[in-house]
Amino acid sequence: MDKLRTYLNSKTPEKQDEFARRCGTTLGYLRKAISAEQQFDVQLCINIEVESGGAVRCEDLRPRVTWAKLRGTAEAA
């Protein structure tokens, strides 16, 4: 969540609102979730990664999900 907080804080308030809308949510929700250390759903994680251009990755938001497997980048056992 720290990466998302840092990413948002690097933007103007207008750009923060725009980013949240592109992710399919509101800035208020993102800020509340960050402060409460709330878990984002998988689709929102994906949207945040895409809309941030990879600056905030899914792994930063939900580290317990095996994203490498979903991405097809997991090493074979």
Side-chain angles (χ1 to χ4, degrees):
M1 290 292 197
D2 287 335
K3 283 195 177 183
L4 179 56
R5 179 183 290 114
T6 300
Y7 180 81
L8 288 172
N9 288 341
S10 74
K11 307 284 181 207
T12 65
E14 295 80 21
K15 294 290 184 185
Q16 292 175 24
D17 280 329
E18 183 181 310
F19 171 77
R21 277 193 304 274
R22 288 194 325 263
C23 291
T25 191
T26 65
L27 180 59
Y29 175 77
L30 291 178
R31 291 286 186 196
K32 178 182 159 223
I34 290 167
S35 67
E37 297 184 19
Q38 188 174 324
Q39 183 172 282
F40 292 128
D41 71 17
V42 169
Q43 188 59 57
L44 183 54
C45 292
I46 293 167
N47 294 350
I48 289 170
E49 180 169 330
V50 169
E51 295 302 330
S52 73
V56 182
R57 299 198 55 185
C58 295
E59 290 85 347
D60 300 323
L61 302 170
R62 299 264 316 253
R64 293 178 194 240
V65 173
T66 310
W67 294 102
K69 190 170 189 175
L70 294 173
R71 292 178 194 275
T73 58
E75 294 184 24

